[in-house]
Amino acid sequence: MKKILLSILLCLPLSVVAQSNWETVNDNQQKASTRQKAQPTTGRKKEYQYARYLGNVVPMVNGEVMWEKTFDNNLSAEANYEHMLKFLTQMTQEDNQLEDSKVAIVNKTEHKIVCHFDEWLVFSNKFLALDRTRMIYTLTCDCYDYKVDVKIFRISYRYEEQRDGGEIFKAEEWITDENAVNKKRTRLLKISGKFRRCTVDRMEQILNTINHSLKK
């Protein structure tokens, strides 16, 4: 009888150790599972990627979408005019421009330039899947001694024209906060959001390129 009791007592520590080991494994598994759940989903990563387009990135002037910027430099009004006329003429001939893009009118005396642009704005370009829209806008340039004022406005889009004529959108009713961002202001809407994102990128590209050219 004593031998039986002794055998039972000797087995108890082994059982406790075994049980403790299993609990440790379970704890690690739970922690790993918690870490996996804490990782952001693909949707959250995408929202974070586009977060900068949720803020005040589409400027409004008297109810109209308008990008405007003043570039300071050390050139005379005439030199600024000649530089910008050459720059904008070259811009109308870039690969993304359509045949209606042109320097529309100029005023040499007042050093003013008005351009009409009709260009392709590309959302994505994958194999056998090109998603793009025509974007039409007006760009004006007023040149002075030591500065240049640029405005971009009257922005509109011609989308999917190959499908029954497509759709026409004005920037004021398509890429503003009310039309391109959800009510909670946490993400871009699927269709109008891509117009907003690519338009912001394009306007920034134009203004940055002008700035760089005037500093050469």
Side-chain angles (χ1 to χ4, degrees):
M1 185 66 177
K2 290 181 179 180
K3 291 183 179 180
I4 295 174
L5 289 174
L6 181 60
S7 299
I8 293 174
L9 290 173
L10 290 173
C11 290
L12 283 176
L14 295 175
S15 299
V16 172
V17 172
Q19 184 179 7
S20 176
N21 287 340
W22 279 108
E23 289 175 352
T24 301
V25 172
N26 286 337
D27 288 343
N28 290 336
Q29 290 176 342
Q30 289 176 1
K31 290 177 181 178
S33 176
T34 302
R35 285 195 296 269
Q36 290 176 355
K37 291 180 180 179
Q39 292 177 354
T41 62
T42 302
R44 289 176 184 170
K45 287 182 179 178
K46 186 173 292 186
E47 288 176 16
Y48 178 79
Q49 178 185 357
Y50 296 150
R52 84 175 191 91
Y53 302 100
L54 301 176
N56 186 25
V57 295
V58 177
M60 300 290 292
V61 179
N62 298 324
E64 183 175 13
V65 173
M66 179 184 297
W67 271 264
E68 53 184 347
K69 190 167 184 177
T70 297
F71 303 92
D72 298 319
N73 61 17
N74 57 0
L75 300 177
S76 67
E78 183 177 352
N80 276 324
Y81 172 81
E82 293 297 332
H83 174 87
M84 290 306 301
L85 181 59
K86 180 179 179 181
F87 175 90
L88 293 170
T89 300
Q90 291 176 344
M91 183 173 160
T92 64
Q93 299 167 359
E94 292 175 351
D95 292 340
N96 64 321
Q97 300 298 322
L98 298 169
E99 61 181 19
D100 285 341
S101 292
K102 61 185 177 181
V103 175
I105 54 174
V106 299
N107 187 320
K108 294 182 180 180
T109 303
E110 298 181 8
H111 306 113
K112 297 180 182 293
I113 306 169
V114 178
C115 299
H116 173 83
F117 285 96
D118 187 350
E119 65 181 49
W120 288 119
L121 187 66
V122 178
F123 303 127
S124 63
N125 188 3
K126 300 177 182 179
F127 181 67
L128 297 180
L130 175 60
D131 186 16
R132 65 183 182 179
T133 185
R134 280 174 58 201
M135 181 171 68
I136 301 168
Y137 57 92
T138 297
L139 186 154
T140 64
C141 180
D142 295 338
C143 301
Y144 306 95
D145 290 333
Y146 317 127
K147 72 173 185 178
V148 174
D149 289 340
V150 173
K151 295 181 180 179
I152 306 174
F153 56 104
R154 295 176 186 166
I155 303 169
S156 63
Y157 309 93
R158 305 292 188 274
Y159 187 49
E160 293 188 333
E161 292 180 296
Q162 71 279 10
R163 298 183 181 180
D164 299 324
E167 297 179 273
I168 300 175
F169 304 111
K170 290 184 178 180
E172 290 76 18
E173 58 193 21
W174 196 236
I175 66 170
T176 59
D177 291 354
E178 293 75 15
N179 297 290
V181 182
N182 69 339
K183 292 182 179 179
K184 293 182 179 180
R185 299 295 188 263
T186 57
R187 62 179 177 83
L188 297 178
L189 300 182
K190 184 176 181 180
I191 304 299
S192 57
K194 68 182 179 182
F195 281 77
R196 176 186 175 103
R197 176 169 50 83
C198 291
T199 300
V200 169
D201 287 347
R202 175 58 176 157
M203 295 301 118
E204 290 180 352
Q205 179 190 35
I206 293 171
L207 296 176
N208 288 337
T209 305
I210 291 173
N211 183 50
H212 180 72
S213 73
L214 287 169
K215 289 184 177 180
K216 286 184 177 180

